[in-house]
Amino acid sequence: MSTKLVIPEFTPHFEYVRNDKTKHLTLKKPDGSFMVEQDEIDNLARGLLMDPFYVEPWLTSCDIQTVLFPDVIDGLKGEDPAVRRKSVNLAYQTEDRLVKLGGVDEFVAWAQRGRDRNDFGVPKGNSKGFRKLPTRKPMSLTKLTAGNREAIEKIYNNKNLLGEMPTDLSSRIKQAHDELEKGQLYDEFAELILAIFEQWRVYHKHINDLKVKIPDAIDQRDELLVDHANSAAAMAHCSKLIGSITDPKKLTKLLKEGVEIQRKLTLPGV
């Protein structure tokens, strides 16, 4: 005689992640930092470890009796931030499957069938308190809009721009264009790729602007130090140039101010 499962209360941990493209748990920004900071990952890990639904062995009718696999639970406890991030992402995938299946009852039935990754189940009514969602099918995604189509094509056709990108970003753009031509690119993915591209574009422009402005700032500082070392105004301006050396907008303004300072200091009687 089978013993009825005592199911702990289920509380989603990843609703805000699921509905926010900027909260991808493992993707990086163009500058190499993660889209989701480690502190947020660690908070998620702590919350999961405190949740009996995920870490207690209540699935007594299954080979693996915890919702999360034991190695995932160990990874959430681990010292390595990369391992914790990977484990949090695996926990997200588990919760995502539960939601896609339709609720806790359907997840339990799937676990009892052996947790086949290709088994999406057929929900038989809503579990109390849960919203039945469709399984992951292309038809559930949004058709690519004309604006996003044109944006992907414009970036892809700019070969000079593609050549300046990091390899992983240019590969994403090329892959998106291939999927676009096959009619397999959907708006959710196009928007994510365009958001990553925009982050890189802003960063790339910042670096290019600095490449132009920094040599000009160094030259102006050297001229002031040589020609007007006794001028308090010139020395103060030199300090401002150094203090703003990583900000192209401030450097642009300061370079104009420096030209005016040089003009005034070269007037007769000054």
Side-chain angles (χ1 to χ4, degrees):
M1 181 175 178
S2 61
T3 304
K4 183 172 175 149
L5 294 179
V6 179
I7 303 176
E9 181 180 356
F10 168 65
T11 302
H13 289 251
F14 296 99
E15 271 306 305
Y16 77 104
V17 173
R18 189 174 296 108
N19 298 318
D20 187 346
K21 296 183 181 68
T22 68
K23 292 291 185 181
H24 196 289
L25 298 172
T26 57
L27 276 183
K28 291 184 177 181
K29 301 175 185 177
D31 64 2
S33 63
F34 283 102
M35 295 176 73
V36 175
E37 293 184 0
Q38 190 65 40
D39 286 348
E40 193 168 347
I41 292 293
D42 293 343
N43 285 335
L44 285 166
R46 283 190 287 270
L48 290 162
L49 289 171
M50 294 172 62
D51 191 335
F53 180 86
Y54 281 98
V55 299
E56 293 296 325
W58 59 267
L59 284 165
T60 54
S61 59
C62 303
D63 292 337
I64 299 172
Q65 297 186 359
T66 52
V67 169
L68 297 179
F69 288 128
D71 59 335
V72 174
I73 296 172
D74 289 342
L76 294 173
K77 300 175 183 175
E79 296 293 327
D80 188 337
V83 173
R84 289 200 300 277
R85 184 178 292 273
K86 180 180 178 182
S87 297
V88 166
N89 192 52
L90 289 170
Y92 164 75
Q93 293 174 22
T94 299
E95 184 180 295
D96 193 50
R97 178 176 287 276
L98 186 153
V99 174
K100 293 291 193 297
L101 284 170
V104 174
D105 291 344
E106 289 77 7
F107 180 86
V108 170
W110 172 74
Q112 290 171 336
R113 292 195 298 269
R115 302 195 192 215
D116 182 355
R117 292 183 179 181
N118 296 316
D119 175 7
F120 289 94
V122 181
K124 298 178 181 179
N126 290 332
S127 297
K128 185 177 180 182
F130 296 97
R131 178 166 49 98
K132 185 191 293 184
L133 296 176
T135 55
R136 201 187 297 264
K137 297 178 181 178
M139 290 79 75
S140 67
L141 297 171
T142 308
K143 184 178 178 181
L144 185 64
T145 60
N148 285 342
R149 169 186 288 275
E150 291 171 4
I152 294 289
E153 288 181 333
K154 184 176 180 180
I155 297 168
Y156 176 79
N157 289 327
N158 190 333
K159 302 306 179 186
N160 290 334
L161 191 62
L162 278 179
E164 294 174 354
M165 293 179 192
T167 303
D168 57 347
L169 178 58
S170 62
S171 296
R172 283 178 183 271
I173 298 294
K174 291 172 184 176
Q175 181 182 355
H177 188 263
D178 289 343
E179 291 175 353
L180 183 156
E181 291 194 322
K182 296 174 184 176
Q184 297 175 349
L185 181 64
Y186 294 89
D187 222 42
E188 289 85 350
F189 300 109
E191 287 181 358
L192 178 59
I193 291 167
L194 289 171
I196 294 170
F197 166 77
E198 182 60 20
Q199 290 176 343
W200 171 81
R201 187 194 66 79
V202 171
Y203 176 76
H204 184 63
K205 183 178 184 302
H206 179 90
I207 295 300
N208 282 344
D209 287 348
L210 284 179
K211 287 179 180 177
V212 174
K213 300 298 179 184
I214 286 177
D216 290 345
I218 291 173
D219 287 345
Q220 187 176 89
R221 176 178 177 273
D222 288 346
E223 289 172 7
L224 288 169
L225 288 173
V226 171
D227 298 334
H228 306 288
N230 295 324
S231 167
M235 295 305 99
H237 184 74
C238 288
S239 296
K240 289 180 182 178
L241 286 172
I242 296 303
S244 303
I245 203 68
T246 60
D247 189 330
K249 289 184 179 179
K250 286 185 178 179
L251 283 182
T252 299
K253 180 181 178 182
L254 287 171
L255 286 168
K256 291 179 180 178
E257 292 176 1
V259 170
E260 182 61 19
I261 290 171
Q262 287 173 312
R263 186 189 69 79
K264 289 180 179 179
L265 290 174
T266 55
L267 291 175
V270 176

Short mmCIF file of all heavy atoms in Angstrom, two decimals, residues 126-185:
data_model
loop_
_atom_site.label_atom_id
_atom_site.label_comp_id
_atom_site.label_asym_id
_atom_site.label_seq_id
_atom_site.Cartn_x
_atom_site.Cartn_y
_atom_site.Cartn_z
N ASN A 126 -6.25 21.94 -13.65
CA ASN A 126 -5.35 22.81 -12.87
C ASN A 126 -5.17 22.30 -11.46
O ASN A 126 -6.13 21.92 -10.80
CB ASN A 126 -5.92 24.23 -12.82
CG ASN A 126 -5.84 24.91 -14.16
OD1 ASN A 126 -4.96 24.61 -14.94
ND2 ASN A 126 -6.76 25.82 -14.42
N SER A 127 -3.93 22.29 -10.99
CA SER A 127 -3.71 22.08 -9.56
C SER A 127 -4.15 23.35 -8.83
O SER A 127 -3.99 24.45 -9.34
CB SER A 127 -2.23 21.83 -9.29
OG SER A 127 -1.81 20.66 -9.94
N LYS A 128 -4.67 23.17 -7.64
CA LYS A 128 -5.18 24.32 -6.91
C LYS A 128 -4.07 25.34 -6.69
O LYS A 128 -3.01 25.02 -6.22
CB LYS A 128 -5.73 23.85 -5.56
CG LYS A 128 -6.38 24.99 -4.77
CD LYS A 128 -6.96 24.46 -3.48
CE LYS A 128 -7.61 25.59 -2.70
NZ LYS A 128 -8.16 25.13 -1.41
N GLY A 129 -4.39 26.58 -7.04
CA GLY A 129 -3.44 27.65 -6.80
C GLY A 129 -2.41 27.82 -7.90
O GLY A 129 -1.53 28.64 -7.80
N PHE A 130 -2.50 27.03 -8.98
CA PHE A 130 -1.51 27.13 -10.05
C PHE A 130 -2.19 27.42 -11.37
O PHE A 130 -3.31 26.96 -11.64
CB PHE A 130 -0.70 25.83 -10.17
CG PHE A 130 0.12 25.57 -8.95
CD1 PHE A 130 -0.34 24.72 -7.96
CD2 PHE A 130 1.33 26.21 -8.77
CE1 PHE A 130 0.41 24.51 -6.82
CE2 PHE A 130 2.09 25.99 -7.64
CZ PHE A 130 1.63 25.14 -6.66
N ARG A 131 -1.49 28.15 -12.21
CA ARG A 131 -1.99 28.52 -13.52
C ARG A 131 -1.46 27.52 -14.54
O ARG A 131 -0.27 27.30 -14.65
CB ARG A 131 -1.49 29.93 -13.85
CG ARG A 131 -1.87 30.45 -15.20
CD ARG A 131 -1.61 31.95 -15.25
NE ARG A 131 -0.28 32.25 -14.77
CZ ARG A 131 0.76 32.46 -15.57
NH1 ARG A 131 0.62 32.38 -16.86
NH2 ARG A 131 1.94 32.75 -15.07
N LYS A 132 -2.36 26.89 -15.29
CA LYS A 132 -1.91 25.95 -16.31
C LYS A 132 -1.31 26.73 -17.47
O LYS A 132 -1.93 27.63 -18.02
CB LYS A 132 -3.09 25.11 -16.82
CG LYS A 132 -2.66 24.03 -17.80
CD LYS A 132 -3.84 23.38 -18.49
CE LYS A 132 -4.67 22.59 -17.55
NZ LYS A 132 -5.77 21.89 -18.22
N LEU A 133 -0.10 26.37 -17.84
CA LEU A 133 0.59 27.02 -18.94
C LEU A 133 0.87 26.01 -20.04
O LEU A 133 1.02 24.81 -19.78
CB LEU A 133 1.91 27.63 -18.46
CG LEU A 133 1.79 28.74 -17.43
CD1 LEU A 133 3.16 29.17 -16.98
CD2 LEU A 133 1.02 29.91 -18.00
N PRO A 134 0.95 26.45 -21.28
CA PRO A 134 1.25 25.52 -22.37
C PRO A 134 2.68 25.02 -22.28
O PRO A 134 3.53 25.66 -21.67
CB PRO A 134 1.07 26.38 -23.63
CG PRO A 134 1.31 27.77 -23.16
CD PRO A 134 0.80 27.83 -21.75
N THR A 135 2.95 23.87 -22.88
CA THR A 135 4.31 23.39 -22.96
C THR A 135 5.10 24.28 -23.90
O THR A 135 4.56 25.09 -24.64
CB THR A 135 4.34 21.94 -23.47
OG1 THR A 135 3.65 21.87 -24.70
CG2 THR A 135 3.69 21.01 -22.46
N ARG A 136 6.42 24.12 -23.91
CA ARG A 136 7.30 24.99 -24.66
C ARG A 136 7.22 24.66 -26.14
O ARG A 136 7.86 23.74 -26.63
CB ARG A 136 8.72 24.81 -24.15
CG ARG A 136 9.65 25.96 -24.46
CD ARG A 136 11.04 25.60 -24.07
NE ARG A 136 11.14 25.38 -22.66
CZ ARG A 136 11.54 26.29 -21.79
NH1 ARG A 136 11.88 27.46 -22.20
NH2 ARG A 136 11.61 26.01 -20.50
N LYS A 137 6.43 25.42 -26.87
CA LYS A 137 6.27 25.22 -28.31
C LYS A 137 6.58 26.51 -29.04
O LYS A 137 6.32 27.60 -28.52
CB LYS A 137 4.83 24.80 -28.65
CG LYS A 137 4.41 23.47 -28.04
CD LYS A 137 2.97 23.19 -28.40
CE LYS A 137 2.49 21.88 -27.80
NZ LYS A 137 1.09 21.62 -28.10
N PRO A 138 7.10 26.45 -30.27
CA PRO A 138 7.37 27.67 -31.01
C PRO A 138 6.15 28.56 -31.18
O PRO A 138 6.25 29.76 -31.18
CB PRO A 138 7.88 27.15 -32.36
CG PRO A 138 8.44 25.80 -32.06
CD PRO A 138 7.58 25.25 -30.96
N MET A 139 4.94 27.92 -31.30
CA MET A 139 3.73 28.69 -31.53
C MET A 139 3.40 29.62 -30.36
O MET A 139 2.66 30.57 -30.51
CB MET A 139 2.54 27.77 -31.79
CG MET A 139 2.63 27.07 -33.12
SD MET A 139 3.76 25.67 -33.07
CE MET A 139 2.78 24.48 -32.18
N SER A 140 3.94 29.32 -29.16
CA SER A 140 3.64 30.15 -28.01
C SER A 140 4.48 31.43 -28.01
O SER A 140 4.25 32.31 -27.20
CB SER A 140 3.89 29.37 -26.72
OG SER A 140 5.27 29.11 -26.57
N LEU A 141 5.47 31.52 -28.90
CA LEU A 141 6.32 32.69 -28.97
C LEU A 141 5.72 33.74 -29.90
O LEU A 141 4.86 33.44 -30.73
CB LEU A 141 7.70 32.28 -29.46
CG LEU A 141 8.46 31.31 -28.53
CD1 LEU A 141 9.71 30.81 -29.22
CD2 LEU A 141 8.79 31.97 -27.21
N THR A 142 6.19 34.95 -29.75
CA THR A 142 5.64 36.07 -30.52
C THR A 142 6.29 36.15 -31.90
O THR A 142 7.51 36.04 -32.03
CB THR A 142 5.90 37.40 -29.77
OG1 THR A 142 5.43 37.27 -28.44
CG2 THR A 142 5.18 38.55 -30.46
N LYS A 143 5.48 36.37 -32.91
CA LYS A 143 5.99 36.51 -34.27
C LYS A 143 6.93 37.71 -34.36
O LYS A 143 6.70 38.75 -33.75
CB LYS A 143 4.82 36.69 -35.23
CG LYS A 143 5.23 36.75 -36.70
CD LYS A 143 4.01 36.88 -37.59
CE LYS A 143 4.42 36.99 -39.05
NZ LYS A 143 3.26 37.14 -39.94
N LEU A 144 8.00 37.55 -35.12
CA LEU A 144 9.00 38.60 -35.25
C LEU A 144 8.39 39.86 -35.86
O LEU A 144 7.76 39.81 -36.92
CB LEU A 144 10.15 38.11 -36.14
CG LEU A 144 11.35 39.04 -36.29
CD1 LEU A 144 12.05 39.24 -34.96
CD2 LEU A 144 12.32 38.49 -37.33
N THR A 145 8.57 40.99 -35.18
CA THR A 145 8.04 42.26 -35.69
C THR A 145 8.94 42.83 -36.78
O THR A 145 10.14 42.52 -36.84
CB THR A 145 7.91 43.28 -34.55
OG1 THR A 145 9.22 43.51 -33.99
CG2 THR A 145 6.99 42.78 -33.46
N ALA A 146 8.36 43.68 -37.60
CA ALA A 146 9.11 44.27 -38.71
C ALA A 146 10.29 45.10 -38.21
O ALA A 146 11.38 45.07 -38.78
CB ALA A 146 8.17 45.13 -39.57
N GLY A 147 10.07 45.84 -37.10
CA GLY A 147 11.15 46.69 -36.58
C GLY A 147 12.35 45.88 -36.11
O GLY A 147 13.49 46.24 -36.42
N ASN A 148 12.10 44.79 -35.40
CA ASN A 148 13.21 43.96 -34.93
C ASN A 148 13.87 43.20 -36.07
O ASN A 148 15.08 42.98 -36.06
CB ASN A 148 12.72 42.99 -33.86
CG ASN A 148 12.48 43.67 -32.53
OD1 ASN A 148 12.97 44.76 -32.28
ND2 ASN A 148 11.71 43.05 -31.66
N ARG A 149 13.07 42.81 -37.07
CA ARG A 149 13.63 42.17 -38.26
C ARG A 149 14.61 43.11 -38.95
O ARG A 149 15.74 42.73 -39.30
CB ARG A 149 12.51 41.78 -39.23
CG ARG A 149 13.01 41.35 -40.62
CD ARG A 149 11.84 41.14 -41.57
NE ARG A 149 11.12 39.95 -41.22
CZ ARG A 149 11.43 38.72 -41.63
NH1 ARG A 149 12.50 38.54 -42.41
NH2 ARG A 149 10.72 37.68 -41.27
N GLU A 150 14.19 44.35 -39.17
CA GLU A 150 15.04 45.33 -39.86
C GLU A 150 16.30 45.62 -39.06
O GLU A 150 17.39 45.80 -39.63
CB GLU A 150 14.24 46.62 -40.10
CG GLU A 150 13.13 46.46 -41.13
CD GLU A 150 12.23 47.68 -41.20
OE1 GLU A 150 12.52 48.68 -40.50
OE2 GLU A 150 11.22 47.64 -41.92
N ALA A 151 16.17 45.68 -37.72
CA ALA A 151 17.33 45.96 -36.87
C ALA A 151 18.36 44.84 -36.96
O ALA A 151 19.57 45.10 -37.09
CB ALA A 151 16.87 46.15 -35.42
N ILE A 152 17.90 43.58 -36.91
CA ILE A 152 18.83 42.44 -37.02
C ILE A 152 19.50 42.45 -38.38
O ILE A 152 20.72 42.24 -38.50
CB ILE A 152 18.07 41.11 -36.81
CG1 ILE A 152 17.55 41.00 -35.37
CG2 ILE A 152 18.96 39.91 -37.15
CD1 ILE A 152 18.59 40.78 -34.32
N GLU A 153 18.74 42.68 -39.45
CA GLU A 153 19.31 42.69 -40.81
C GLU A 153 20.32 43.82 -40.97
O GLU A 153 21.37 43.63 -41.59
CB GLU A 153 18.19 42.83 -41.84
CG GLU A 153 17.35 41.56 -41.99
CD GLU A 153 16.26 41.70 -43.03
OE1 GLU A 153 15.81 42.86 -43.27
OE2 GLU A 153 15.85 40.68 -43.61
N LYS A 154 20.02 44.99 -40.40
CA LYS A 154 20.92 46.14 -40.53
C LYS A 154 22.26 45.84 -39.85
O LYS A 154 23.33 46.15 -40.40
CB LYS A 154 20.27 47.37 -39.91
CG LYS A 154 21.10 48.64 -40.07
CD LYS A 154 20.34 49.85 -39.51
CE LYS A 154 21.17 51.12 -39.68
NZ LYS A 154 20.45 52.32 -39.14
N ILE A 155 22.21 45.26 -38.66
CA ILE A 155 23.44 44.93 -37.94
C ILE A 155 24.22 43.86 -38.70
O ILE A 155 25.44 43.97 -38.88
CB ILE A 155 23.12 44.44 -36.52
CG1 ILE A 155 22.46 45.56 -35.71
CG2 ILE A 155 24.39 43.97 -35.81
CD1 ILE A 155 21.86 45.09 -34.40
N TYR A 156 23.51 42.83 -39.17
CA TYR A 156 24.16 41.72 -39.87
C TYR A 156 24.84 42.20 -41.15
O TYR A 156 25.93 41.73 -41.51
CB TYR A 156 23.13 40.65 -40.20
CG TYR A 156 23.69 39.52 -41.02
CD1 TYR A 156 24.45 38.50 -40.43
CD2 TYR A 156 23.48 39.45 -42.40
CE1 TYR A 156 24.98 37.47 -41.19
CE2 TYR A 156 24.01 38.42 -43.16
CZ TYR A 156 24.75 37.43 -42.55
OH TYR A 156 25.28 36.40 -43.30
N ASN A 157 24.24 43.14 -41.86
CA ASN A 157 24.77 43.62 -43.14
C ASN A 157 25.92 44.62 -42.97
O ASN A 157 26.58 44.96 -43.94
CB ASN A 157 23.65 44.26 -43.97
CG ASN A 157 22.67 43.24 -44.49
OD1 ASN A 157 23.05 42.10 -44.78
ND2 ASN A 157 21.39 43.61 -44.59
N ASN A 158 26.17 45.07 -41.76
CA ASN A 158 27.29 45.98 -41.49
C ASN A 158 28.51 45.13 -41.12
O ASN A 158 28.78 44.86 -39.95
CB ASN A 158 26.93 46.94 -40.35
CG ASN A 158 27.95 48.05 -40.19
OD1 ASN A 158 29.12 47.89 -40.54
ND2 ASN A 158 27.52 49.18 -39.66
N LYS A 159 29.23 44.68 -42.14
CA LYS A 159 30.33 43.75 -41.92
C LYS A 159 31.47 44.36 -41.10
O LYS A 159 32.13 43.66 -40.32
CB LYS A 159 30.88 43.24 -43.26
CG LYS A 159 29.83 42.54 -44.13
CD LYS A 159 29.12 41.42 -43.38
CE LYS A 159 28.07 40.74 -44.25
NZ LYS A 159 27.28 39.74 -43.50
N ASN A 160 31.70 45.68 -41.26
CA ASN A 160 32.73 46.33 -40.45
C ASN A 160 32.37 46.28 -38.97
O ASN A 160 33.22 46.02 -38.11
CB ASN A 160 32.91 47.78 -40.89
CG ASN A 160 33.54 47.89 -42.27
OD1 ASN A 160 34.27 47.00 -42.70
ND2 ASN A 160 33.25 48.96 -42.97
N LEU A 161 31.09 46.52 -38.67
CA LEU A 161 30.62 46.48 -37.29
C LEU A 161 30.74 45.06 -36.73
O LEU A 161 31.19 44.86 -35.59
CB LEU A 161 29.18 46.95 -37.21
CG LEU A 161 28.60 47.22 -35.81
CD1 LEU A 161 29.38 48.32 -35.11
CD2 LEU A 161 27.13 47.59 -35.92
N LEU A 162 30.35 44.07 -37.52
CA LEU A 162 30.46 42.68 -37.08
C LEU A 162 31.91 42.32 -36.74
O LEU A 162 32.18 41.61 -35.78
CB LEU A 162 29.95 41.72 -38.17
CG LEU A 162 28.45 41.47 -38.27
CD1 LEU A 162 28.17 40.53 -39.43
CD2 LEU A 162 27.89 40.91 -36.98
N GLY A 163 32.84 42.84 -37.56
CA GLY A 163 34.25 42.55 -37.34
C GLY A 163 34.80 43.16 -36.07
O GLY A 163 35.80 42.68 -35.53
N GLU A 164 34.17 44.24 -35.57
CA GLU A 164 34.63 44.89 -34.35
C GLU A 164 34.06 44.25 -33.09
O GLU A 164 34.54 44.50 -31.99
CB GLU A 164 34.23 46.38 -34.38
CG GLU A 164 34.95 47.17 -35.47
CD GLU A 164 34.43 48.60 -35.57
OE1 GLU A 164 33.45 48.93 -34.87
OE2 GLU A 164 35.01 49.39 -36.33
N MET A 165 33.04 43.42 -33.26
CA MET A 165 32.37 42.81 -32.10
C MET A 165 33.20 41.68 -31.52
O MET A 165 33.98 41.04 -32.23
CB MET A 165 31.01 42.23 -32.52
CG MET A 165 29.98 43.23 -32.92
SD MET A 165 28.46 42.37 -33.40
CE MET A 165 27.55 43.72 -34.15
N PRO A 166 32.98 41.38 -30.22
CA PRO A 166 33.53 40.15 -29.67
C PRO A 166 32.95 38.95 -30.42
O PRO A 166 31.82 39.02 -30.93
CB PRO A 166 33.05 40.16 -28.21
CG PRO A 166 32.68 41.57 -27.93
CD PRO A 166 32.24 42.17 -29.23
N THR A 167 33.70 37.87 -30.49
CA THR A 167 33.27 36.71 -31.29
C THR A 167 31.93 36.17 -30.84
O THR A 167 31.08 35.81 -31.68
CB THR A 167 34.34 35.59 -31.20
OG1 THR A 167 35.58 36.12 -31.63
CG2 THR A 167 33.95 34.41 -32.07
N ASP A 168 31.69 36.12 -29.52
CA ASP A 168 30.43 35.53 -29.06
C ASP A 168 29.23 36.38 -29.48
O ASP A 168 28.18 35.84 -29.83
CB ASP A 168 30.44 35.33 -27.54
CG ASP A 168 30.71 36.61 -26.78
OD1 ASP A 168 31.14 37.60 -27.40
OD2 ASP A 168 30.51 36.61 -25.55
N LEU A 169 29.39 37.71 -29.51
CA LEU A 169 28.29 38.57 -29.93
C LEU A 169 28.07 38.49 -31.43
O LEU A 169 26.92 38.37 -31.89
CB LEU A 169 28.56 40.02 -29.51
CG LEU A 169 27.49 41.04 -29.93
CD1 LEU A 169 26.12 40.66 -29.38
CD2 LEU A 169 27.88 42.44 -29.44
N SER A 170 29.12 38.54 -32.23
CA SER A 170 28.95 38.44 -33.69
C SER A 170 28.35 37.09 -34.06
O SER A 170 27.54 37.00 -34.99
CB SER A 170 30.29 38.64 -34.40
OG SER A 170 31.23 37.65 -34.04
N SER A 171 28.71 36.03 -33.34
CA SER A 171 28.13 34.70 -33.60
C SER A 171 26.64 34.70 -33.31
O SER A 171 25.86 34.09 -34.05
CB SER A 171 28.83 33.64 -32.75
OG SER A 171 30.19 33.52 -33.11
N ARG A 172 26.24 35.39 -32.23
CA ARG A 172 24.81 35.48 -31.90
C ARG A 172 24.04 36.22 -33.00
O ARG A 172 22.94 35.82 -33.36
CB ARG A 172 24.63 36.23 -30.57
CG ARG A 172 24.95 35.41 -29.35
CD ARG A 172 24.78 36.28 -28.10
NE ARG A 172 25.14 35.55 -26.91
CZ ARG A 172 24.31 34.80 -26.20
NH1 ARG A 172 23.06 34.66 -26.60
NH2 ARG A 172 24.72 34.18 -25.11
N ILE A 173 24.65 37.29 -33.50
CA ILE A 173 23.99 38.06 -34.56
C ILE A 173 23.84 37.20 -35.82
O ILE A 173 22.77 37.17 -36.46
CB ILE A 173 24.79 39.34 -34.89
CG1 ILE A 173 24.86 40.28 -33.67
CG2 ILE A 173 24.20 40.05 -36.10
CD1 ILE A 173 23.55 40.86 -33.24
N LYS A 174 24.91 36.50 -36.20
CA LYS A 174 24.86 35.63 -37.39
C LYS A 174 23.83 34.52 -37.22
O LYS A 174 23.08 34.20 -38.15
CB LYS A 174 26.24 35.05 -37.66
CG LYS A 174 27.26 36.10 -38.12
CD LYS A 174 28.67 35.52 -38.20
CE LYS A 174 29.68 36.59 -38.57
NZ LYS A 174 31.08 36.07 -38.56
N GLN A 175 23.79 33.93 -36.04
CA GLN A 175 22.83 32.87 -35.78
C GLN A 175 21.40 33.41 -35.86
O GLN A 175 20.51 32.76 -36.42
CB GLN A 175 23.07 32.25 -34.40
CG GLN A 175 22.11 31.11 -34.06
CD GLN A 175 22.34 30.56 -32.67
OE1 GLN A 175 23.27 30.97 -31.99
NE2 GLN A 175 21.50 29.65 -32.25
N ALA A 176 21.19 34.60 -35.28
CA ALA A 176 19.86 35.22 -35.34
C ALA A 176 19.43 35.48 -36.77
O ALA A 176 18.27 35.25 -37.14
CB ALA A 176 19.86 36.53 -34.54
N HIS A 177 20.38 35.93 -37.61
CA HIS A 177 20.04 36.20 -39.01
C HIS A 177 19.71 34.90 -39.74
O HIS A 177 18.78 34.87 -40.57
CB HIS A 177 21.20 36.91 -39.70
CG HIS A 177 20.86 37.40 -41.07
ND1 HIS A 177 21.18 36.69 -42.21
CD2 HIS A 177 20.20 38.51 -41.50
CE1 HIS A 177 20.75 37.35 -43.27
NE2 HIS A 177 20.16 38.46 -42.87
N ASP A 178 20.46 33.83 -39.46
CA ASP A 178 20.15 32.53 -40.08
C ASP A 178 18.75 32.07 -39.70
O ASP A 178 17.98 31.59 -40.55
CB ASP A 178 21.18 31.48 -39.65
CG ASP A 178 22.55 31.71 -40.25
OD1 ASP A 178 22.63 32.47 -41.24
OD2 ASP A 178 23.54 31.15 -39.75
N GLU A 179 18.40 32.22 -38.41
CA GLU A 179 17.07 31.81 -37.94
C GLU A 179 15.99 32.71 -38.55
O GLU A 179 14.89 32.24 -38.86
CB GLU A 179 17.02 31.88 -36.42
CG GLU A 179 17.89 30.81 -35.76
CD GLU A 179 17.93 30.95 -34.25
OE1 GLU A 179 17.39 31.95 -33.73
OE2 GLU A 179 18.51 30.07 -33.59
N LEU A 180 16.33 33.99 -38.74
CA LEU A 180 15.39 34.93 -39.37
C LEU A 180 15.04 34.46 -40.78
O LEU A 180 13.87 34.43 -41.18
CB LEU A 180 16.01 36.32 -39.38
CG LEU A 180 15.21 37.51 -39.93
CD1 LEU A 180 15.75 38.80 -39.31
CD2 LEU A 180 15.29 37.61 -41.43
N GLU A 181 16.07 34.09 -41.54
CA GLU A 181 15.84 33.66 -42.93
C GLU A 181 15.05 32.36 -43.00
O GLU A 181 14.34 32.11 -43.99
CB GLU A 181 17.18 33.52 -43.64
CG GLU A 181 17.89 34.85 -43.87
CD GLU A 181 19.03 34.74 -44.85
OE1 GLU A 181 19.73 33.71 -44.82
OE2 GLU A 181 19.21 35.68 -45.65
N LYS A 182 15.17 31.53 -41.97
CA LYS A 182 14.42 30.27 -41.94
C LYS A 182 13.04 30.43 -41.33
O LYS A 182 12.28 29.46 -41.25
CB LYS A 182 15.20 29.23 -41.13
CG LYS A 182 16.54 28.84 -41.74
CD LYS A 182 17.30 27.91 -40.79
CE LYS A 182 18.69 27.58 -41.32
NZ LYS A 182 19.46 26.76 -40.34
N GLY A 183 12.72 31.65 -40.90
CA GLY A 183 11.42 31.88 -40.25
C GLY A 183 11.36 31.31 -38.85
O GLY A 183 10.27 31.05 -38.33
N GLN A 184 12.52 31.14 -38.20
CA GLN A 184 12.57 30.51 -36.88
C GLN A 184 12.99 31.49 -35.78
O GLN A 184 13.23 31.08 -34.65
CB GLN A 184 13.54 29.33 -36.90
CG GLN A 184 13.12 28.22 -37.84
CD GLN A 184 14.17 27.12 -37.94
OE1 GLN A 184 15.29 27.27 -37.47
NE2 GLN A 184 13.80 26.02 -38.57
N LEU A 185 13.10 32.78 -36.11
CA LEU A 185 13.48 33.77 -35.11
C LEU A 185 12.22 34.44 -34.57
O LEU A 185 11.43 34.99 -35.35
CB LEU A 185 14.41 34.82 -35.71
CG LEU A 185 14.91 35.89 -34.73
CD1 LEU A 185 15.77 35.28 -33.64
CD2 LEU A 185 15.70 36.98 -35.46
#
